[in-house]
Amino acid sequence: MLLVMLGSGAPESDLKIPYKDFYTIIDQIAQTSDLLARYVHKYFSDIVLHSQELYKVVKHGGFIHYIVGNSKFYDVMLPVESIFASIFQDVGFINISV
């Protein structure tokens, strides 16, 4: 179902991904696979939504931990940990370390 949705157009969300090079990376992936570029964009749009909701429920002084790894698509490095850190900072989390 996800591939059908991605194949029909751009990611559903109009959310901006706050990582400074995100859209350049998406454009580089799209040069080889527009479908994969839309999938990556949708994934991080969903992470923004998830992070916004998570921020609402984590108590002041609480901690969150994520274990993620970089991905490489068609020789385009996707710095997942840095993108996550940018998103977390943008929604209001503090003391972020990678």
Side-chain angles (χ1 to χ4, degrees), residues 16 45 76:
K16 297 296 181 202
S45 293
V76 178

Side-chain angles (χ1 to χ4, degrees), residues 17-25 82-83 86:
I17 310 304
Y19 183 72
K20 66 179 175 80
D21 294 326
F22 182 77
Y23 295 98
T24 300
I25 293 168
S82 297
I83 298 170
S86 294

Side-chain angles (χ1 to χ4, degrees), residues 36-55:
L36 183 57
R38 286 194 307 266
Y39 174 81
V40 171
H41 189 175
K42 171 83 169 99
Y43 173 81
F44 284 104
S45 293
D46 288 347
I47 293 300
V48 168
L49 294 172
H50 164 75
S51 299
Q52 290 170 342
E53 293 303 312
L54 186 63
Y55 185 76

